Amino acid sequence: MPGSSRMPISLRNTLSAKKGGSSSQLLALNIDLFRNIVFFLFLLRWSRKALLKLKGRGVFGTFADTYIAVRRTLYGLFLRAPGVRSQVQKQVSEAITKLQTKLVPSGPGVVRYLTLPKDGWSEEIVLKELEALAEMDHTRWEDGYVSGAVYHGGDALMKLQTEAFGKFTVANPIHPDVFPGVRKMEAEVVSMVLAMFNAPAGAAGVTTSGGTESILMACLSARQKAYSERGVREPEMILPETGHTAFRKAGNYFGIKVHLVACPGPAYQVDLKAVSRLMNSNTVLLVGSAPNFPHGIIDDITSLSKLASKRNIPLHVDCCLGSFLVPFLEKAGFETELFDFRLKGVTSISCDTHKYGFAPKGNSTVLYRT
Ligand SMILES: *Cc1c(COP(=O)(O)O)cnc(C)c1O
């Protein structure tokens, strides 16, 4: 404020020349520059995203995706509008009630135990209750009417499994010093499955609680590898739309963006050109199934492997369902194509011992090339 200062004019000038002149100008310039840099980076980031999107999905695909996203948002808003909302809630609660009547048994003779019993149960009561639970009205898997959910090797094997389980009921594999036998079993199971899939020397693996956990671990390891080796902070994976739902869970759990790729007829294998277009520097994992759950079709793993090794990106082969069948097709004289570690690009494989390995449910393996 000129005139209000008590500072001598001579001093005022030099000071203000210094302050108002060079340094504050410099500051303004710096802020301007900084703003421009931030804006440029912002522009760069979004144009890169837009270009990758165009490359990955093409003009039509990008347009379709945008249209679907906008429609979904608008529809979401519409469903929350007054008047509509109450209707939606009514229908949802009707659906839940319907599901409950189907899944939760009711009626005379059905007791629901929602708190601990006042007096402890005798062994006899426990057994009787378990018997009642096993006999509850259900889809008859025992007669072979359930596909893709129950894998068992007959009564004699089930009896043996039950006995085996009984020997290790309290065993906790996290303490290999307390349960050395469990560690030995795991190591040997893994070694057998590695050999089955022609793993090279130096390959490794672990047992897990099921195919879902095996797949989750493979995705997590691919994400971590990309982060530590290439600094990938916005990981993406490319999944055939016939891939198991566990991959989408992995996407959710571990913050990996999932690109779904069509599997067009008549082969219903994953569209390789689409996979190739979607690959970019954020890609941490490619996926193929051997075979997939919906159709029992094996993807073209040889070509996926070529794509993967060319760009040095891990490839997971989901052989959960194939488990102990697909590795033996060749030996059994069927026409087959390579799908395992003999293909250089294959870096991990999930194999469910609980499926055609006929181990009890609650066991699977995940194998890594290195
Ligand atoms: C069964 C299966 C899985 C998952 O296995 P769970 O043990 O049920 O978790 C994954 N992929 C395929 C192809 C499967 O058939």
Side-chain angles (χ1 to χ4, degrees):
M1 265 195 275
S4 66
S5 167
R6 289 188 185 171
M7 219 182 268
I9 291 240
S10 52
L11 256 184
R12 226 194 288 164
N13 278 345
T14 44
L15 259 184
S16 68
K18 254 194 188 151
K19 215 171 107 195
S22 67
S23 83
S24 76
Q25 257 172 21
L26 202 67
L27 190 70
L29 200 74
N30 275 342
I31 289 178
D32 229 29
L33 187 70
F34 182 66
R35 213 168 38 197
N36 282 343
I37 289 175
V38 169
F39 180 67
F40 178 73
L41 286 177
F42 177 80
L43 213 65
L44 195 72
R45 180 177 154 80
W46 283 99
S47 39
R48 185 172 171 270
K49 275 197 167 191
L51 282 176
L52 282 179
K53 177 91 191 165
L54 276 171
K55 177 182 158 267
R57 298 276 296 138
V59 176
F60 183 72
T62 306
F63 183 74
D65 286 355
T66 315
Y67 171 71
I68 290 169
V70 170
R71 207 180 60 174
R72 193 172 283 166
T73 311
L74 291 180
Y75 196 59
L77 288 175
F78 168 71
L79 291 182
R80 262 176 277 161
V84 184
R85 196 193 184 118
S86 54
Q87 269 298 317
V88 172
Q89 264 164 0
K90 197 171 135 232
Q91 289 189 11
V92 168
S93 62
E94 271 171 23
I96 291 176
T97 314
K98 240 192 223 163
L99 254 179
Q100 272 176 348
T101 30
K102 200 174 154 205
L103 293 179
V104 184
S106 57
V110 177
V111 190
R112 295 176 73 207
Y113 305 101
L114 302 179
T115 50
L116 285 171
K118 226 190 243 118
D119 302 307
W121 284 3
S122 67
E123 191 180 318
E124 197 185 333
I125 301 179
V126 173
L127 286 175
K128 212 177 105 217
E129 283 297 329
L130 286 174
E131 194 59 36
L133 290 171
E135 289 307 314
M136 260 165 59
D137 201 18
H138 63 277
T139 316
R140 302 298 301 177
W141 62 265
E142 296 91 334
D143 305 330
Y145 290 138
V146 178
S147 156
V150 178
Y151 308 82
H152 71 88
D155 290 337
L157 181 60
M158 270 201 278
K159 201 161 153 266
L160 177 62
Q161 283 173 343
T162 311
E163 206 173 308
F165 228 106
K167 290 205 188 304
F168 294 93
T169 312
V170 300
N172 186 346
I174 215 167
H175 301 287
D177 54 334
V178 187
F179 304 103
V182 174
R183 193 211 63 80
K184 183 170 183 287
M185 264 194 282
E186 176 177 18
E188 287 170 359
V189 167
V190 168
S191 167
M192 287 174 198
V193 184
L194 281 170
M196 232 167 69
F197 285 87
N198 297 294
V206 286
T207 62
T208 66
S209 62
T212 297
E213 193 190 349
S214 294
I215 289 170
L216 290 175
M217 292 303 103
C219 294
L220 179 63
S221 73
R223 188 196 77 174
Q224 291 310 95
K225 182 179 160 69
Y227 177 72
S228 66
E229 289 179 3
R230 298 189 277 133
V232 176
R233 285 168 186 276
E234 294 180 19
E236 302 177 6
M237 67 177 156
I238 303 175
L239 179 67
E241 64 184 3
T242 49
H244 195 267
T245 189
F247 291 99
R248 299 174 206 216
K249 282 187 184 170
N252 263 310
Y253 289 178
F254 307 133
I256 308 170
K257 183 173 172 180
V258 177
H259 290 289
L260 285 181
V261 178
C263 306
Y268 295 105
Q269 290 174 316
V270 68
D271 179 350
L272 293 159
K273 280 209 187 90
V275 173
S276 167
R277 278 200 305 270
L278 282 164
M279 287 164 81
N280 63 52
S281 58
N282 283 336
T283 310
V284 301
L285 186 65
L286 305 186
V287 176
S289 313
N292 65 44
F293 192 73
H295 305 139
I297 283 171
I298 301 183
D299 287 313
D300 182 353
I301 309 291
T302 308
S303 301
L304 281 173
S305 162
K306 276 188 196 138
L307 275 180
S309 16
K310 207 167 85 190
R311 302 283 294 271
N312 203 13
I313 290 172
L315 165 63
H316 181 82
V317 175
D318 179 9
C319 201
C320 280
L321 188 55
S323 59
F324 284 56
L325 278 186
V326 175
F328 293 105
L329 287 180
E330 200 180 330
K331 211 172 174 184
F334 290 95
E335 194 184 315
T336 53
E337 289 191 17
L338 292 187
F339 66 96
D340 61 18
F341 287 115
R342 280 172 288 180
L343 296 170
K344 289 281 169 295
V346 175
T347 50
S348 56
I349 295 177
S350 45
C351 165
D352 279 352
T353 36
H354 83 80
K355 287 188 180 154
Y356 297 108
F358 295 125
K361 173 67 185 137
N363 194 263
S364 168
T365 56
V366 57
L367 316 170
Y368 302 94
R369 177 179 289 275
T370 51

